[in-house]
């Protein structure tokens, strides 16, 4: 869902390809959504794209970065002192 929200955000703040912002949401939800979508309803329920700013994308970056750290330092020994020290 985070990737879907990001795609919507990029389309809303990118070059204008639609006459109505709701069409952006409906089109992206229809093409890439993992759940059935009722056209014209998304804007009634999502406040993520207004007043949330660039911090919104931190969810995706944190997930990717934490995965890299886990695999590099902690996968074989989550409580390994040497691994923890090398990260810090």
């Amino acid at each position: 869902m985070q990737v879907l929200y990001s795609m919507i955000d990029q389309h809303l703040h990118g070059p204008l390809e639609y006459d109505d912002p709701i069409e952006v949401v409906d089109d992206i939800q229809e093409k890439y959504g993992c759940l059935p979508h009722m056209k014209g309803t998304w804007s009634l329920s999502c406040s993520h794209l207004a007043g949330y700013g660039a911090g919104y994308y931190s969810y995706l970056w944190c997930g990717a970065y934490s995965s890299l750290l886990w695999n590099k330092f902690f996968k074989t020994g989550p409580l390994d002192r040497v691994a923890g020290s090398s990260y810090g």
Side-chain angles (χ1 to χ4, degrees):
M1 287 304 293
Q2 297 300 317
V3 172
L4 187 73
Y5 292 157
S6 298
M7 291 173 67
I8 292 169
D9 185 46
Q10 292 297 311
H11 276 80
L12 289 173
H13 293 96
L16 296 177
E17 299 174 21
Y18 299 86
D19 293 329
D20 182 358
I22 301 301
E23 290 177 28
V24 173
V25 175
D26 289 341
D27 188 37
I28 291 173
Q29 284 274 14
E30 190 72 30
K31 288 180 183 174
Y32 306 106
C34 56
L35 299 172
H37 174 65
M38 292 179 60
K39 292 187 176 206
T41 60
W42 182 81
S43 62
L44 302 174
S45 63
C46 185
S47 60
H48 276 81
L49 302 178
Y52 207 40
Y56 176 75
Y57 294 101
S58 65
Y59 290 125
L60 296 175
W61 282 110
C62 287
Y65 189 64
S66 64
S67 178
L68 290 171
L69 289 175
W70 173 262
N71 288 313
K72 182 173 182 178
F73 294 106
F74 303 107
K75 187 175 183 177
T76 59
L79 301 177
D80 183 358
R81 182 180 297 270
V82 175
S85 296
S86 66
Y87 168 68

